[in-house]
Amino acid sequence: EPIETCKSILDKSPDILLISCFAWAYAAECLEMIRDLKTAAPDIPIIVGGPGVAAEPEYFQGPYGADFIYTGEAEAGFQKLLKYIKSNQDTNDKEGLKSIPNLYINKEVGSPLLTSCEDLYPVWSLSEMRGGTHYTTMLSRGCPRKCRFCSNFLVQGRTFRKIPVDAVLASIDCFPQEGPLSINFEDDNLLLAPDYFIEILTALKAHNPAFSFTAENGMEYT
């Protein structure tokens, strides 16, 4: 029997399942969930990605592993993968799959590709909060550091990139202008661009004087 989480997922009758593994520390639990989903619904394609997957992609292969292992940034080629699945769902078409950027196949990654700054846009993930509004977001990609414990560079590369400030500022117009507004920034390295970060914080404070923020993932390791 699939675990309760898998039951709630399959109750939605999904066409495709996308699973993200934030860090290698969660790899075993992630693979366990994939196995349960595969056992319960073997015909639903499963795509797994994220820094934890990029650290050891072959771990997620096998008869009860994911159908597709995506090791890079989704914007670079994810739409192409979805179109491929929709057109034929043939996981044995290795040549066709190799043309899809950042897809891991037989110990190789097809056309490794990073997303340009111009193609990045802000995503504000809304979550429930008593008496206010709470978002989580990420405004930058990539890291020039070489910390032994971190695998984010395997997905996002060594080049630090920021979402254009104009795109960020334009996206906050829909935020409430009064009442508690809090934002958690999940970036690894926002303090590599302090002026950029302060400009965005200043705009948010001007938009809503009750604005506050956290950085639950840290702001710059050093």
Side-chain angles (χ1 to χ4, degrees), residues 141-211:
R141 303 280 182 88
C143 182
R145 309 292 188 197
K146 296 182 179 180
C147 303
R148 293 180 62 191
F149 60 81
C150 182
S151 59
N152 274 0
F153 74 93
L154 295 173
V155 174
Q156 300 178 6
R158 297 286 191 191
T159 303
F160 180 70
R161 292 158 291 143
K162 310 182 297 293
I163 296 175
V165 67
D166 290 344
V168 178
L169 298 184
S171 70
I172 70 175
D173 288 342
C174 62
F175 290 175
Q177 293 183 285
E178 57 184 29
L181 168 66
S182 65
I183 296 176
N184 168 44
F185 295 95
E186 279 290 315
D187 302 70
D188 287 310
N189 297 297
L190 269 177
L191 288 187
L192 291 180
D195 293 342
Y196 167 86
F197 189 34
I198 290 172
E199 182 177 358
I200 291 169
L201 293 179
T202 302
L204 285 163
K205 191 72 172 179
H207 181 82
N208 184 334
F211 163 72

Side-chain angles (χ1 to χ4, degrees), residues 22 122-129 133-140 163 168 175 180-190 197 200-201 204 210-220:
F22 173 72
V123 175
W124 308 94
S125 179
L126 180 64
S127 58
E128 296 294 329
M129 182 178 120
T133 305
H134 179 74
Y135 292 94
T136 292
T137 193
M138 189 172 181
L139 301 181
S140 63
I163 296 175
V168 178
F175 290 175
L181 168 66
S182 65
I183 296 176
N184 168 44
F185 295 95
E186 279 290 315
D187 302 70
D188 287 310
N189 297 297
L190 269 177
F197 189 34
I200 291 169
L201 293 179
L204 285 163
F211 163 72
S212 63
F213 77 94
T214 56
E216 294 176 13
N217 196 39
M219 298 177 68
E220 208 279 301

Side-chain angles (χ1 to χ4, degrees), residues 64-75:
Y64 290 97
D67 297 292
F68 302 95
I69 300 170
Y70 202 86
T71 61
E73 294 181 323
E75 295 93 340

Side-chain angles (χ1 to χ4, degrees), residues 67-96:
D67 297 292
F68 302 95
I69 300 170
Y70 202 86
T71 61
E73 294 181 323
E75 295 93 340
F78 203 70
Q79 287 186 341
K80 189 172 182 179
L81 174 57
L82 293 178
K83 289 179 181 178
Y84 179 92
I85 294 172
K86 186 177 179 180
S87 64
N88 56 28
Q89 297 190 17
D90 184 4
T91 59
N92 293 314
D93 179 12
K94 303 306 180 187
E95 291 306 314

